[in-house]
Amino acid sequence: STTRRIERTVPVPVAGSSATTYRASAASIAGTALSPTGSATARHLVEQRSPSVRYAKSWTTARPSTSIGSSVRRTTAARAKVTARVTGRSVGVLLQRGPSAGRAAVYLDGRKVAVLDLRSKKASTQVAWASSLSTSSSHTVRVVNLSTGKRLGFDGLVVVE
């Protein structure tokens, strides 16, 4: 018997600050149900409501139609940062893209893990960076604006617990 592992990413819309539990199940090609491999809880952490999110330097609140939550926090100050403590198996950072956006660095537990170019022709909010974590324990995620005069828009985090 041959076993083949298939991994698939499925986009899941996330809104609000409540948790939603998803359960995965599998079936063979013939349609025979197989045992589920597990479940996960996804949570969108809205920045204004979460005590685990801290801002440094100048940030303002905006309500663009592209936000996933009810609002986003924005800055144009170079080296402005947002830091969040999360507990989970996976984390994603929701950032705004658009013509007025610049570059940002993402740090996980104090180590730089990505530099993102958020410029695009069309404005949108999306998971700009995501990572699976080795354990479901507490981690620190920090996003730093690398551009002077260019906007960094933070919409929150998606965490799989």
Side-chain angles (χ1 to χ4, degrees), residues 108-154:
L108 179 63
D109 296 329
R111 187 174 66 92
K112 186 189 288 185
V113 292
V115 174
L116 309 171
D117 184 351
L118 300 167
R119 292 173 296 176
S120 71
K121 290 182 180 180
K122 184 178 176 185
S124 66
T125 298
Q126 57 188 233
V127 176
W129 175 85
S131 178
S132 295
L133 306 170
S134 57
T135 61
S136 184
S137 59
S138 182
H139 298 277
T140 301
V141 177
R142 184 174 68 221
V143 180
V144 180
N145 189 14
L146 298 178
S147 302
T148 301
K150 294 290 186 178
R151 186 168 54 211
L152 173 62
F154 175 76

Short mmCIF file of all heavy atoms in Angstrom, two decimals, residues 108-154:
data_model
loop_
_atom_site.label_atom_id
_atom_site.label_comp_id
_atom_site.label_asym_id
_atom_site.label_seq_id
_atom_site.Cartn_x
_atom_site.Cartn_y
_atom_site.Cartn_z
N LEU A 108 10.05 37.68 14.39
CA LEU A 108 9.40 36.64 15.19
C LEU A 108 10.35 36.29 16.33
O LEU A 108 11.50 35.89 16.08
CB LEU A 108 9.10 35.41 14.33
CG LEU A 108 8.43 34.24 15.05
CD1 LEU A 108 7.05 34.64 15.58
CD2 LEU A 108 8.30 33.04 14.12
N ASP A 109 9.89 36.49 17.54
CA ASP A 109 10.69 36.22 18.74
C ASP A 109 12.05 36.91 18.67
O ASP A 109 13.09 36.34 19.02
CB ASP A 109 10.85 34.71 18.95
CG ASP A 109 9.51 34.03 19.22
OD1 ASP A 109 8.63 34.69 19.80
OD2 ASP A 109 9.35 32.87 18.85
N GLY A 110 12.05 38.17 18.18
CA GLY A 110 13.25 38.98 18.15
C GLY A 110 14.15 38.79 16.95
O GLY A 110 15.13 39.50 16.77
N ARG A 111 13.84 37.85 16.08
CA ARG A 111 14.67 37.56 14.90
C ARG A 111 13.95 38.04 13.64
O ARG A 111 12.79 37.72 13.42
CB ARG A 111 14.91 36.05 14.82
CG ARG A 111 15.90 35.64 13.74
CD ARG A 111 16.20 34.14 13.83
NE ARG A 111 15.02 33.33 13.53
CZ ARG A 111 14.73 32.87 12.31
NH1 ARG A 111 15.51 33.13 11.30
NH2 ARG A 111 13.66 32.13 12.12
N LYS A 112 14.67 38.81 12.80
CA LYS A 112 14.06 39.29 11.55
C LYS A 112 13.83 38.08 10.64
O LYS A 112 14.75 37.34 10.33
CB LYS A 112 14.96 40.29 10.84
CG LYS A 112 14.29 40.91 9.61
CD LYS A 112 15.22 41.73 8.75
CE LYS A 112 15.58 43.02 9.41
NZ LYS A 112 16.41 43.89 8.52
N VAL A 113 12.57 37.91 10.20
CA VAL A 113 12.21 36.76 9.37
C VAL A 113 11.76 37.17 7.97
O VAL A 113 11.67 36.31 7.09
CB VAL A 113 11.13 35.89 10.05
CG1 VAL A 113 11.69 35.21 11.29
CG2 VAL A 113 9.89 36.71 10.40
N ALA A 114 11.47 38.46 7.76
CA ALA A 114 11.02 38.88 6.43
C ALA A 114 11.14 40.39 6.27
O ALA A 114 11.02 41.14 7.23
CB ALA A 114 9.56 38.47 6.20
N VAL A 115 11.38 40.80 5.04
CA VAL A 115 11.26 42.19 4.63
C VAL A 115 10.25 42.20 3.49
O VAL A 115 10.42 41.49 2.50
CB VAL A 115 12.61 42.79 4.17
CG1 VAL A 115 12.39 44.20 3.61
CG2 VAL A 115 13.60 42.81 5.32
N LEU A 116 9.18 42.95 3.67
CA LEU A 116 8.06 42.94 2.73
C LEU A 116 7.98 44.24 1.94
O LEU A 116 8.10 45.32 2.52
CB LEU A 116 6.74 42.75 3.49
CG LEU A 116 6.68 41.59 4.48
CD1 LEU A 116 5.40 41.68 5.29
CD2 LEU A 116 6.77 40.28 3.74
N ASP A 117 7.74 44.15 0.66
CA ASP A 117 7.44 45.29 -0.18
C ASP A 117 5.92 45.30 -0.36
O ASP A 117 5.36 44.41 -1.01
CB ASP A 117 8.14 45.19 -1.53
CG ASP A 117 7.93 46.42 -2.40
OD1 ASP A 117 7.09 47.28 -2.04
OD2 ASP A 117 8.60 46.52 -3.43
N LEU A 118 5.25 46.26 0.24
CA LEU A 118 3.79 46.28 0.28
C LEU A 118 3.18 47.14 -0.83
O LEU A 118 1.97 47.30 -0.88
CB LEU A 118 3.32 46.76 1.66
CG LEU A 118 3.79 45.87 2.82
CD1 LEU A 118 3.56 46.57 4.15
CD2 LEU A 118 3.10 44.53 2.77
N ARG A 119 4.01 47.67 -1.72
CA ARG A 119 3.49 48.50 -2.81
C ARG A 119 2.73 47.64 -3.82
O ARG A 119 3.16 46.53 -4.15
CB ARG A 119 4.62 49.22 -3.53
CG ARG A 119 5.29 50.29 -2.67
CD ARG A 119 6.48 50.85 -3.36
NE ARG A 119 7.46 49.75 -3.51
CZ ARG A 119 8.61 49.85 -4.14
NH1 ARG A 119 8.94 50.98 -4.71
NH2 ARG A 119 9.43 48.83 -4.22
N SER A 120 1.61 48.14 -4.27
CA SER A 120 0.85 47.51 -5.35
C SER A 120 -0.03 48.57 -5.99
O SER A 120 -0.26 49.62 -5.41
CB SER A 120 0.01 46.34 -4.82
OG SER A 120 -1.05 46.82 -4.03
N LYS A 121 -0.51 48.28 -7.19
CA LYS A 121 -1.36 49.25 -7.89
C LYS A 121 -2.72 49.39 -7.23
O LYS A 121 -3.31 50.46 -7.22
CB LYS A 121 -1.53 48.83 -9.35
CG LYS A 121 -0.26 48.99 -10.15
CD LYS A 121 -0.47 48.62 -11.59
CE LYS A 121 0.83 48.78 -12.36
NZ LYS A 121 0.68 48.46 -13.76
N LYS A 122 -3.23 48.31 -6.66
CA LYS A 122 -4.56 48.30 -6.08
C LYS A 122 -4.48 48.15 -4.56
O LYS A 122 -3.71 47.34 -4.05
CB LYS A 122 -5.36 47.14 -6.67
CG LYS A 122 -6.79 47.09 -6.21
CD LYS A 122 -7.53 45.95 -6.87
CE LYS A 122 -8.93 45.86 -6.32
NZ LYS A 122 -9.65 44.71 -6.82
N ALA A 123 -5.28 48.92 -3.85
CA ALA A 123 -5.32 48.84 -2.38
C ALA A 123 -6.04 47.57 -1.94
O ALA A 123 -7.08 47.20 -2.50
CB ALA A 123 -6.02 50.07 -1.81
N SER A 124 -5.47 46.89 -0.96
CA SER A 124 -6.09 45.69 -0.40
C SER A 124 -5.50 45.41 0.97
O SER A 124 -4.48 45.98 1.34
CB SER A 124 -5.85 44.48 -1.32
OG SER A 124 -4.47 44.16 -1.35
N THR A 125 -6.17 44.56 1.70
CA THR A 125 -5.63 44.06 2.97
C THR A 125 -5.52 42.56 2.83
O THR A 125 -6.46 41.91 2.37
CB THR A 125 -6.56 44.42 4.15
OG1 THR A 125 -6.64 45.84 4.25
CG2 THR A 125 -6.04 43.84 5.45
N GLN A 126 -4.38 42.01 3.19
CA GLN A 126 -4.18 40.58 3.06
C GLN A 126 -3.15 40.07 4.06
O GLN A 126 -2.46 40.87 4.70
CB GLN A 126 -3.77 40.23 1.63
CG GLN A 126 -2.54 40.93 1.16
CD GLN A 126 -2.30 40.71 -0.32
OE1 GLN A 126 -1.22 40.31 -0.69
NE2 GLN A 126 -3.28 40.97 -1.17
N VAL A 127 -3.07 38.77 4.17
CA VAL A 127 -2.03 38.18 4.99
C VAL A 127 -0.73 38.37 4.23
O VAL A 127 -0.47 37.72 3.22
CB VAL A 127 -2.30 36.68 5.27
CG1 VAL A 127 -1.14 36.07 6.06
CG2 VAL A 127 -3.61 36.49 6.00
N ALA A 128 0.08 39.31 4.69
CA ALA A 128 1.32 39.67 4.00
C ALA A 128 2.47 38.75 4.39
O ALA A 128 3.43 38.61 3.66
CB ALA A 128 1.68 41.12 4.29
N TRP A 129 2.37 38.14 5.56
CA TRP A 129 3.40 37.22 6.04
C TRP A 129 2.71 36.22 6.98
O TRP A 129 1.82 36.58 7.74
CB TRP A 129 4.49 37.97 6.80
CG TRP A 129 5.51 37.07 7.42
CD1 TRP A 129 6.62 36.55 6.82
CD2 TRP A 129 5.51 36.55 8.75
NE1 TRP A 129 7.30 35.74 7.70
CE2 TRP A 129 6.63 35.73 8.90
CE3 TRP A 129 4.63 36.70 9.83
CZ2 TRP A 129 6.93 35.06 10.07
CZ3 TRP A 129 4.93 36.02 11.01
CH2 TRP A 129 6.06 35.22 11.12
N ALA A 130 3.14 34.96 6.90
CA ALA A 130 2.60 33.93 7.79
C ALA A 130 3.69 32.91 8.08
O ALA A 130 4.61 32.72 7.28
CB ALA A 130 1.39 33.25 7.15
N SER A 131 3.55 32.24 9.21
CA SER A 131 4.53 31.23 9.59
C SER A 131 3.88 30.17 10.45
O SER A 131 3.04 30.47 11.30
CB SER A 131 5.68 31.86 10.36
OG SER A 131 6.61 30.88 10.76
N SER A 132 4.28 28.93 10.24
CA SER A 132 3.95 27.85 11.16
C SER A 132 4.96 27.92 12.29
O SER A 132 6.14 28.22 12.06
CB SER A 132 4.03 26.49 10.48
OG SER A 132 3.06 26.40 9.47
N LEU A 133 4.53 27.64 13.49
CA LEU A 133 5.40 27.71 14.66
C LEU A 133 5.67 26.31 15.19
O LEU A 133 4.83 25.42 15.04
CB LEU A 133 4.74 28.59 15.73
CG LEU A 133 4.33 29.99 15.22
CD1 LEU A 133 3.48 30.69 16.25
CD2 LEU A 133 5.55 30.80 14.87
N SER A 134 6.82 26.12 15.79
CA SER A 134 7.22 24.77 16.21
C SER A 134 6.33 24.23 17.32
O SER A 134 6.09 23.02 17.39
CB SER A 134 8.68 24.76 16.65
OG SER A 134 8.88 25.71 17.69
N THR A 135 5.84 25.09 18.19
CA THR A 135 4.96 24.66 19.27
C THR A 135 3.85 25.67 19.45
O THR A 135 3.97 26.82 19.04
CB THR A 135 5.73 24.55 20.61
OG1 THR A 135 6.24 25.86 20.94
CG2 THR A 135 6.86 23.54 20.53
N SER A 136 2.78 25.24 20.08
CA SER A 136 1.68 26.14 20.39
C SER A 136 2.00 26.83 21.71
O SER A 136 1.41 26.55 22.74
CB SER A 136 0.36 25.39 20.49
OG SER A 136 -0.69 26.31 20.71
N SER A 137 2.97 27.73 21.67
CA SER A 137 3.37 28.46 22.86
C SER A 137 3.36 29.96 22.56
O SER A 137 3.00 30.38 21.47
CB SER A 137 4.77 28.00 23.31
OG SER A 137 5.71 28.22 22.27
N SER A 138 3.78 30.75 23.52
CA SER A 138 3.75 32.20 23.38
C SER A 138 4.89 32.67 22.49
O SER A 138 6.04 32.24 22.64
CB SER A 138 3.85 32.84 24.76
OG SER A 138 3.77 34.23 24.65
N HIS A 139 4.56 33.55 21.55
CA HIS A 139 5.54 34.12 20.61
C HIS A 139 5.30 35.62 20.50
O HIS A 139 4.19 36.09 20.72
CB HIS A 139 5.41 33.48 19.23
CG HIS A 139 5.68 32.01 19.23
ND1 HIS A 139 6.94 31.49 19.16
CD2 HIS A 139 4.84 30.96 19.31
CE1 HIS A 139 6.88 30.18 19.19
NE2 HIS A 139 5.61 29.82 19.28
N THR A 140 6.35 36.34 20.11
CA THR A 140 6.25 37.78 19.88
C THR A 140 6.42 38.06 18.40
O THR A 140 7.39 37.60 17.79
CB THR A 140 7.33 38.54 20.67
OG1 THR A 140 7.17 38.25 22.06
CG2 THR A 140 7.21 40.04 20.46
N VAL A 141 5.47 38.79 17.82
CA VAL A 141 5.53 39.21 16.42
C VAL A 141 5.64 40.73 16.43
O VAL A 141 4.86 41.42 17.09
CB VAL A 141 4.27 38.78 15.65
CG1 VAL A 141 4.32 39.29 14.22
CG2 VAL A 141 4.10 37.28 15.68
N ARG A 142 6.62 41.25 15.67
CA ARG A 142 6.81 42.70 15.57
C ARG A 142 6.90 43.07 14.10
O ARG A 142 7.57 42.40 13.33
CB ARG A 142 8.08 43.12 16.31
CG ARG A 142 8.26 44.63 16.33
CD ARG A 142 9.44 45.06 17.18
NE ARG A 142 10.68 44.62 16.57
CZ ARG A 142 11.71 44.11 17.23
NH1 ARG A 142 11.64 43.93 18.52
NH2 ARG A 142 12.80 43.75 16.58
N VAL A 143 6.20 44.15 13.72
CA VAL A 143 6.26 44.68 12.35
C VAL A 143 6.79 46.11 12.46
O VAL A 143 6.28 46.91 13.25
CB VAL A 143 4.87 44.66 11.67
CG1 VAL A 143 4.97 45.20 10.26
CG2 VAL A 143 4.29 43.25 11.67
N VAL A 144 7.82 46.41 11.66
CA VAL A 144 8.48 47.72 11.70
C VAL A 144 8.38 48.37 10.32
O VAL A 144 8.69 47.74 9.31
CB VAL A 144 9.96 47.57 12.10
CG1 VAL A 144 10.64 48.93 12.14
CG2 VAL A 144 10.09 46.86 13.44
N ASN A 145 7.97 49.64 10.30
CA ASN A 145 7.91 50.40 9.04
C ASN A 145 9.33 50.78 8.64
O ASN A 145 10.05 51.44 9.39
CB ASN A 145 7.05 51.66 9.23
CG ASN A 145 6.78 52.37 7.93
OD1 ASN A 145 6.99 51.82 6.85
ND2 ASN A 145 6.30 53.60 8.02
N LEU A 146 9.76 50.35 7.45
CA LEU A 146 11.11 50.64 6.97
C LEU A 146 11.16 51.87 6.06
O LEU A 146 12.24 52.30 5.69
CB LEU A 146 11.66 49.43 6.20
CG LEU A 146 11.82 48.15 7.01
CD1 LEU A 146 12.33 47.03 6.10
CD2 LEU A 146 12.73 48.35 8.20
N SER A 147 10.01 52.42 5.70
CA SER A 147 9.96 53.52 4.72
C SER A 147 9.62 54.83 5.39
O SER A 147 8.78 54.89 6.28
CB SER A 147 8.91 53.22 3.66
OG SER A 147 9.20 52.01 3.00
N THR A 148 10.28 55.90 4.95
CA THR A 148 9.96 57.25 5.42
C THR A 148 8.88 57.83 4.51
O THR A 148 9.04 57.85 3.30
CB THR A 148 11.22 58.13 5.38
OG1 THR A 148 12.22 57.54 6.20
CG2 THR A 148 10.91 59.54 5.87
N GLY A 149 7.78 58.26 5.11
CA GLY A 149 6.71 58.88 4.34
C GLY A 149 5.80 57.91 3.60
O GLY A 149 4.85 58.32 2.97
N LYS A 150 6.08 56.64 3.66
CA LYS A 150 5.21 55.63 3.05
C LYS A 150 4.38 54.98 4.14
O LYS A 150 4.83 54.80 5.27
CB LYS A 150 6.04 54.55 2.33
CG LYS A 150 6.80 55.08 1.15
CD LYS A 150 5.86 55.43 0.03
CE LYS A 150 6.60 55.84 -1.22
NZ LYS A 150 5.69 56.13 -2.31
N ARG A 151 3.18 54.60 3.80
CA ARG A 151 2.23 54.12 4.80
C ARG A 151 2.39 52.63 5.10
O ARG A 151 2.54 51.81 4.21
CB ARG A 151 0.81 54.40 4.33
CG ARG A 151 -0.22 54.07 5.38
CD ARG A 151 -1.58 54.59 5.06
NE ARG A 151 -2.04 54.18 3.75
CZ ARG A 151 -2.85 54.89 3.00
NH1 ARG A 151 -3.26 56.06 3.39
NH2 ARG A 151 -3.25 54.44 1.84
N LEU A 152 2.32 52.31 6.39
CA LEU A 152 2.19 50.93 6.86
C LEU A 152 0.84 50.83 7.53
O LEU A 152 0.56 51.56 8.48
CB LEU A 152 3.31 50.58 7.84
CG LEU A 152 3.19 49.22 8.53
CD1 LEU A 152 3.23 48.09 7.51
CD2 LEU A 152 4.28 49.04 9.57
N GLY A 153 -0.02 49.95 7.03
CA GLY A 153 -1.35 49.75 7.60
C GLY A 153 -1.44 48.36 8.21
O GLY A 153 -1.27 47.37 7.52
N PHE A 154 -1.71 48.31 9.52
CA PHE A 154 -1.80 47.05 10.27
C PHE A 154 -3.25 46.77 10.59
O PHE A 154 -3.92 47.55 11.27
CB PHE A 154 -0.98 47.16 11.55
CG PHE A 154 -1.08 45.98 12.46
CD1 PHE A 154 -0.40 44.81 12.16
CD2 PHE A 154 -1.82 46.02 13.62
CE1 PHE A 154 -0.48 43.70 13.00
CE2 PHE A 154 -1.91 44.93 14.46
CZ PHE A 154 -1.24 43.78 14.16
#
